[in-house]
Amino acid sequence: MTIAIVGAGLGGLALARVLHVHGIEAVVYEREPSRDARGQGGMLDIHSGQRALREAGLIEQFHTIARPEGQDMRLLEPDGTLLLQEDTPDDAPSLRPEVDRADLRALLLDSLPEGTVRWGQAFASAGDGWVHFSDGGRAPYDLLVGADGAQSRVRALLTDARPAHIGQNVVELGIPDIDRTHPDLAAMVGRGNYWVFGDGLSLAAQRNGDGRVRIGVNFYNTGEDWFDGSGIPFDDPAAARARLIDLLDGWDARFHALIAACDDTVEPRSITTLPLGLTWPSTPGVTLVGDAAHLMPPVGEGANMALLDGALLALALAAHPDDLPAAVEEYESEMFERAGAAARMSAEMQELLMSPDAGRRLLAFFQPS
Ligand SMILES: Cc1cc2nc3c(=O)[nH]c(=O)nc-3n(C[C@H](O)[C@H](O)[C@H](O)COP(=O)(O)OP(=O)(O)OC[C@H]3O[C@@H](n4cnc5c(N)ncnc54)[C@H](O)[C@@H]3O)c2cc1C
């Protein structure tokens, strides 16, 4: 059984690792030229995905890199009123610890035999048992697994569905080494998540394991072309920060100070999702895991689902080593149900975040009376 996995993200690597634990080797084709070729993002909260790490034999190592204190939360209003502060006690169970995506990916990468990941191999097309790469190379497969994320190219082999914009645009920024550079702001943000909700926009700050605080300014109910008319000059970071401060007009000066303290990384990101409850007729020889299968609003489920997809597909393959179609069908029917439920829950949370009174509704969510 030759298994070709496209994409060395969390889903593809979890799949390769759990297969390896069960004595089945696979090859992961990744378009990035090396493991450190680009920044690997911020923090992820890992809850249901811990099961995948247990199946991967990595749960103890996971807890050494996870940050339980990252579960801390502060919720504020634009005038600076603190609505909620939740600090994680030292002895609290690590049910939803935060982990740096780069650290989690490194844990999975280091757990694979040398040569499992082939770097610099960008999937271009597939057919007749061969994967074709954009450099003209090719490789054989019995099973092709698209673990190639939100903009998956493998997905087109199974469905015409494409991600669509959901009316949220985010500007991502960050303050490096905040304890040293801005200790006052470090104390304000705290150890975990810091949220400020206004009408139609929010500011989210989150401490990362490397001392950087990542900040997202979210604009809700905005169209796909919103950045074009936003007046945010992404090619001039200082002017972009000044424009963001203007857009937070009337907000407490401390929130303006957070933006002013950011470095020159100012990135636009548009939020897209796949249709809720997406399925496809099972097709022998090809399947999808993670965002390629079920891109959902970014409210804390996507990474967990990707890890679980990878682990559960591996278990299905280990259970039916001589019957690929049965293994794929078993995996997909469970995944459609599980990921569909997670996507529905995420869509409900997204609807709450986009509502005009999101701060108060979130407070009620976390502190039901
Ligand atoms: C660099 C990066 C940073 C991220 N940062 C965050 C974050 O801060 N917070 C958050 O919530 N989520 C983040 N995400 C998304 C998050 O990791 C996923 O939503 C979730 O983990 C699902 O994982 P996945 O394995 O399905 O996809 P991903 O983790 O997105 O992995 C997909 C992989 O496929 C590779 N790939 C794509 N196209 C091809 C191709 N044609 N050929 C070969 N390889 C290909 C990509 O380079 C990537 O390594 C990030 C993703 C990436 C890639």
Side-chain angles (χ1 to χ4, degrees):
M1 177 159 59
T2 303
I3 301 176
I5 302 168
V6 177
L10 301 184
L13 294 175
L15 169 60
R17 169 64 189 176
V18 178
L19 284 172
H20 174 67
V21 166
H22 287 268
I24 303 170
E25 300 311 325
V27 180
V28 183
Y29 299 98
E30 167 58 49
R31 75 173 166 197
E32 298 287 333
S34 71
R35 63 191 278 165
D36 302 317
R38 64 166 160 161
Q40 286 299 320
M43 306 299 288
L44 305 167
D45 70 312
I46 300 300
H47 39 96
S48 58
Q50 289 187 34
R51 177 179 168 203
L53 295 164
R54 222 166 278 123
E55 298 291 351
L58 298 172
I59 194 70
E60 279 162 25
Q61 290 174 60
F62 166 73
H63 284 298
T64 66
I65 58 168
R67 297 180 56 249
E69 71 277 17
Q71 299 167 103
D72 286 8
M73 196 179 62
R74 295 175 189 183
L75 180 62
L76 297 98
E77 290 194 318
D79 66 1
T81 306
L82 182 66
L83 293 175
L84 176 72
Q85 174 163 349
E86 278 187 351
D87 294 332
T88 314
D90 287 346
D91 58 354
S94 220
L95 298 179
R96 299 181 73 103
E98 297 280 340
V99 67
D100 205 304
R101 184 180 179 279
D103 292 344
L104 182 54
R105 183 168 177 265
L107 174 65
L108 289 162
L109 279 171
D110 291 342
S111 74
L112 293 171
E114 187 84 28
T116 300
V117 180
R118 311 274 164 85
W119 300 99
Q121 298 285 288
F123 171 91
S125 63
D128 297 331
W130 290 90
V131 192
H132 299 273
F133 302 104
S134 53
D135 65 1
R138 64 176 194 160
Y141 69 86
D142 298 310
L143 176 64
L144 170 65
V145 183
D148 48 344
Q151 302 304 325
S152 170
R153 294 188 69 166
V154 178
R155 185 192 294 133
L157 298 174
L158 294 169
T159 166
D160 292 336
R162 297 281 176 276
H165 194 263
I166 58 164
Q168 180 180 348
N169 292 290
V170 189
V171 181
E172 294 183 336
L173 316 93
I175 308 174
D177 197 7
I178 192 169
D179 292 322
R180 200 180 52 76
T181 55
H182 298 86
D184 49 334
L185 297 177
M188 181 175 107
V189 170
R191 306 180 301 177
N193 291 288
Y194 186 87
W195 283 95
V196 191
F197 277 93
D199 186 0
L201 76 173
S202 72
L203 182 153
Q206 187 180 42
R207 172 178 278 270
N208 284 25
D210 61 359
R212 184 177 179 85
V213 162
R214 284 171 70 96
I215 295 175
V217 184
N218 298 283
F219 297 91
Y220 301 114
N221 303 306
T222 51
E224 215 165 338
D225 54 359
W226 183 82
F227 282 121
D228 299 341
S230 68
I232 304 170
F234 287 97
D235 55 353
D236 180 350
R241 288 191 294 272
R243 173 66 183 144
L244 283 171
I245 290 171
D246 280 352
L247 289 167
L248 297 178
D249 184 33
W251 286 42
D252 190 273
R254 286 172 296 168
F255 306 137
H256 294 170
L258 264 183
I259 304 292
C262 289
D263 66 9
D264 284 349
T265 310
V266 186
E267 308 272 1
R269 188 155 78 99
S270 292
I271 305 299
T272 59
T273 64
L274 282 168
L276 206 60
L278 175 68
T279 62
W280 53 83
S282 199
T283 304
V286 189
T287 192
L288 305 173
V289 297
D291 285 352
H294 44 61
L295 181 64
M296 49 188 88
V299 294
E301 292 292 335
N304 289 280
M305 287 300 121
L307 288 166
L308 276 170
D309 290 353
L312 295 177
L313 174 56
L315 293 182
L317 290 164
H320 307 279
D322 302 320
D323 192 348
L324 268 181
V328 168
E329 211 168 337
E330 180 179 302
Y331 155 71
E332 287 176 345
S333 62
E334 188 278 341
M335 181 271 285
F336 289 148
E337 196 161 318
R338 169 175 46 79
R344 271 191 299 283
M345 211 167 68
S346 301
E348 283 166 22
M349 178 55 79
Q350 180 69 22
E351 188 270 322
L352 187 159
L353 296 180
M354 291 176 81
S355 66
D357 55 348
R360 297 277 160 187
R361 286 183 67 189
L362 258 189
L363 182 62
F365 178 83
F366 286 112
Q367 280 191 335
S369 50

Coordinates of all heavy atoms in Angstrom, one line a residue, residues 6-12 29-32 38-44 101 105 121-123 147-149 153 214 289-292 302-303 306, ligand 1:
V6 N -0.4 14.7 0.8 CA 0.0 16.0 0.3 C -0.2 17.1 1.4 O -1.3 17.3 1.8 CB -0.8 16.4 -0.9 CG1 -0.4 17.8 -1.4 CG2 -0.6 15.4 -2.0
G7 N 0.9 17.6 2.0 CA 0.8 18.7 3.0 C 1.4 18.2 4.3 O 0.9 17.2 4.9
A8 N 2.4 18.9 4.8 CA 3.0 18.6 6.1 C 2.5 19.6 7.2 O 3.3 20.3 7.9 CB 4.5 18.6 6.0
G9 N 1.2 19.8 7.2 CA 0.5 20.5 8.3 C 0.2 19.5 9.4 O 0.6 18.4 9.4
L10 N -0.7 20.0 10.3 CA -1.0 19.1 11.5 C -1.7 17.8 11.1 O -1.4 16.7 11.6 CB -1.8 19.9 12.5 CG -1.2 21.2 13.0 CD1 -2.1 21.8 14.1 CD2 0.2 20.9 13.6
G11 N -2.7 17.9 10.1 CA -3.4 16.8 9.7 C -2.6 15.7 9.0 O -2.6 14.5 9.3
G12 N -1.8 16.2 8.0 CA -0.9 15.2 7.3 C 0.1 14.6 8.2 O 0.4 13.4 8.1
Y29 N 4.4 14.8 1.0 CA 4.9 15.8 0.0 C 4.5 17.2 0.4 O 3.3 17.5 0.5 CB 4.4 15.4 -1.4 CG 4.8 14.1 -1.8 CD1 3.9 13.0 -1.7 CD2 6.1 13.8 -2.3 CE1 4.3 11.7 -2.1 CE2 6.5 12.6 -2.7 CZ 5.6 11.5 -2.6 OH 6.0 10.3 -3.0
E30 N 5.5 18.0 0.7 CA 5.2 19.4 1.2 C 5.8 20.4 0.2 O 7.0 20.3 -0.1 CB 5.8 19.6 2.6 CG 5.9 21.0 3.1 CD 4.5 21.7 3.2 OE1 3.5 21.1 3.7 OE2 4.4 22.8 2.7
R31 N 5.0 21.4 -0.1 CA 5.5 22.4 -1.1 C 6.5 23.4 -0.5 O 7.4 23.9 -1.3 CB 4.3 23.2 -1.7 CG 3.8 24.2 -0.8 CD 2.7 25.1 -1.4 NE 2.0 25.8 -0.3 CZ 0.9 26.4 -0.5 NH1 0.3 26.4 -1.6 NH2 0.3 27.0 0.5
E32 N 6.5 23.6 0.8 CA 7.5 24.5 1.4 C 8.9 23.8 1.2 O 9.1 22.6 1.3 CB 7.3 24.6 2.9 CG 6.0 25.3 3.2 CD 6.0 26.8 3.0 OE1 7.1 27.4 3.0 OE2 4.9 27.3 2.7
R38 N 9.0 29.3 6.5 CA 8.2 30.4 6.8 C 7.7 30.3 8.2 O 7.8 29.3 8.9 CB 7.0 30.6 5.8 CG 6.0 29.5 5.9 CD 4.7 29.9 5.2 NE 3.9 28.7 4.9 CZ 2.6 28.7 4.6 NH1 2.0 29.8 4.6 NH2 2.0 27.6 4.3
G39 N 7.2 31.5 8.8 CA 6.7 31.5 10.1 C 5.5 30.5 10.2 O 4.8 30.3 9.2
Q40 N 5.4 29.9 11.3 CA 4.4 28.8 11.4 C 3.2 29.2 12.2 O 2.5 28.3 12.7 CB 5.1 27.5 12.0 CG 5.9 26.8 10.9 CD 5.2 26.4 9.7 OE1 4.0 25.9 9.8 NE2 5.7 26.6 8.5
G41 N 2.9 30.5 12.4 CA 1.7 30.9 13.0 C 1.7 31.0 14.5 O 2.8 31.0 15.1
G42 N 0.6 31.2 15.1 CA 0.5 31.5 16.5 C 0.0 30.3 17.3 O 0.4 29.2 17.1
M43 N -0.8 30.6 18.3 CA -1.2 29.6 19.3 C -2.5 28.8 18.8 O -3.4 29.4 18.2 CB -1.5 30.2 20.6 CG -0.4 31.1 21.2 SD 1.2 30.1 21.4 CE 0.8 29.2 22.9
L44 N -2.6 27.6 19.2 CA -3.8 26.8 19.0 C -4.2 26.2 20.3 O -3.4 25.8 21.1 CB -3.4 25.6 18.0 CG -2.8 26.0 16.7 CD1 -2.2 24.7 16.0 CD2 -3.8 26.7 15.8
R101 N 1.8 26.7 17.4 CA 1.7 25.8 16.2 C 3.0 25.3 15.7 O 3.2 24.1 15.4 CB 1.0 26.5 15.1 CG 0.7 25.6 13.9 CD 0.0 26.4 12.8 NE -0.3 25.5 11.6 CZ 0.7 25.2 10.7 NH1 1.9 25.7 10.8 NH2 0.4 24.4 9.7
R105 N 4.0 21.3 15.4 CA 4.4 20.8 14.1 C 5.8 20.2 14.3 O 6.0 19.1 13.7 CB 4.4 21.9 13.1 CG 4.7 21.5 11.7 CD 4.4 22.6 10.8 NE 4.8 22.4 9.4 CZ 5.9 22.8 8.8 NH1 6.8 23.4 9.6 NH2 6.1 22.6 7.6
Q121 N 8.0 19.8 -2.7 CA 7.2 19.0 -3.7 C 5.8 19.6 -3.7 O 5.0 19.2 -2.8 CB 7.2 17.6 -3.3 CG 8.6 16.9 -3.3 CD 9.1 16.7 -4.7 OE1 8.6 15.8 -5.4 NE2 10.0 17.5 -5.1
A122 N 5.5 20.5 -4.6 CA 4.1 21.1 -4.6 C 3.2 20.2 -5.5 O 3.5 20.0 -6.7 CB 4.2 22.5 -5.2
F123 N 2.1 19.7 -5.0 CA 1.2 19.0 -5.7 C 0.6 19.8 -6.9 O 0.2 20.9 -6.7 CB 0.0 18.5 -4.8 CG -1.1 17.9 -5.5 CD1 -1.2 16.5 -5.7 CD2 -2.2 18.7 -6.0 CE1 -2.3 15.9 -6.3 CE2 -3.3 18.1 -6.6 CZ -3.3 16.7 -6.8
A147 N -3.9 16.7 2.4 CA -3.8 17.4 3.7 C -3.3 18.8 3.5 O -2.4 19.3 4.2 CB -2.9 16.6 4.6
D148 N -3.7 19.4 2.3 CA -3.1 20.6 1.8 C -3.8 21.8 2.2 O -3.7 22.8 1.5 CB -2.8 20.5 0.3 CG -4.0 20.0 -0.5 OD1 -4.9 19.4 0.1 OD2 -3.9 20.2 -1.7
G149 N -4.6 21.8 3.3 CA -5.1 23.0 3.9 C -6.2 23.7 3.2 O -6.8 23.2 2.3
R153 N -5.5 21.8 -3.3 CA -5.7 21.5 -4.8 C -6.2 20.1 -5.0 O -6.8 19.7 -6.0 CB -4.4 21.7 -5.5 CG -4.0 23.2 -5.5 CD -2.8 23.5 -6.4 NE -3.1 23.3 -7.8 CZ -2.3 23.7 -8.8 NH1 -1.2 24.3 -8.5 NH2 -2.6 23.5 -10.0
R214 N 0.5 38.3 19.6 CA -0.1 38.4 18.3 C -1.4 39.2 18.5 O -2.2 38.9 19.4 CB -0.3 37.1 17.7 CG 0.9 36.4 17.1 CD 0.7 35.0 16.7 NE -0.2 34.9 15.6 CZ 0.3 34.7 14.3 NH1 1.6 34.6 14.1 NH2 -0.5 34.6 13.3
V289 N -8.1 15.3 4.5 CA -8.1 15.5 6.0 C -8.0 17.0 6.3 O -7.4 17.8 5.5 CB -7.0 14.7 6.8 CG1 -7.2 13.2 6.6 CG2 -5.6 15.2 6.3
G290 N -8.4 17.4 7.4 CA -8.2 18.8 7.9 C -8.9 19.9 7.1 O -10.0 19.6 6.6
D291 N -8.3 21.0 7.0 CA -9.0 22.2 6.4 C -9.3 21.9 4.9 O -10.3 22.4 4.4 CB -8.1 23.4 6.4 CG -8.0 24.0 7.8 OD1 -8.8 23.6 8.7 OD2 -7.2 25.0 7.9
A292 N -8.6 21.0 4.3 CA -8.9 20.6 2.9 C -10.3 20.0 2.8 O -11.1 20.2 1.9 CB -7.9 19.6 2.4
G302 N -10.5 23.9 14.2 CA -9.9 23.4 13.0 C -8.7 22.5 13.2 O -8.5 21.4 12.6
A303 N -7.8 22.9 14.1 CA -6.6 22.2 14.3 C -6.9 20.8 15.0 O -6.3 19.8 14.7 CB -5.6 23.0 15.2
A306 N -8.3 18.5 12.4 CA -7.2 18.0 11.5 C -6.4 16.9 12.2 O -6.1 15.9 11.6 CB -6.3 19.2 11.1
Ligands
LIG1 C1 2.0 28.6 8.1 C2 0.7 28.4 8.8 C3 0.4 29.1 9.9 C4 -0.9 29.0 10.6 N1 -1.2 29.7 11.7 C5 -2.3 29.5 12.4 C6 -2.6 30.3 13.5 O1 -1.8 31.1 14.0 N2 -3.8 30.0 14.2 C7 -4.7 29.1 13.7 O2 -5.8 28.9 14.3 N3 -4.5 28.4 12.6 C8 -3.3 28.6 11.9 N4 -3.0 27.9 10.7 C9 -4.1 27.0 10.2 C10 -4.1 25.7 11.1 O3 -2.9 25.1 11.2 C11 -5.1 24.8 10.4 O4 -6.4 25.4 10.3 C12 -5.3 23.5 11.1 O5 -4.2 23.1 11.8 C13 -5.7 22.4 10.0 O6 -4.5 21.8 9.6 P1 -4.3 21.2 8.2 O7 -3.2 20.2 8.4 O8 -5.6 20.8 7.6 O9 -3.7 22.4 7.3 P2 -2.5 23.3 7.5 O10 -1.9 23.3 8.9 O11 -2.8 24.6 6.8 O12 -1.3 22.6 6.5 C14 -1.4 22.4 5.1 C15 -0.1 22.1 4.6 O13 -0.2 21.8 3.2 C16 0.9 22.5 2.5 N5 0.4 22.6 1.1 C17 -0.6 23.5 0.6 N6 -0.7 23.3 -0.7 C18 0.2 22.4 -1.1 C19 0.5 21.8 -2.3 N7 -0.1 22.1 -3.5 N8 1.5 20.8 -2.4 C20 2.1 20.4 -1.2 N9 1.9 21.0 0.0 C21 0.9 21.9 0.1 C22 1.0 23.8 3.3 O14 2.3 24.4 3.0 C23 0.9 23.3 4.7 O15 2.1 22.9 5.2 C24 -1.8 28.0 10.0 C25 -1.5 27.3 8.9 C26 -0.3 27.4 8.3 C27 0.1 26.6 7.0

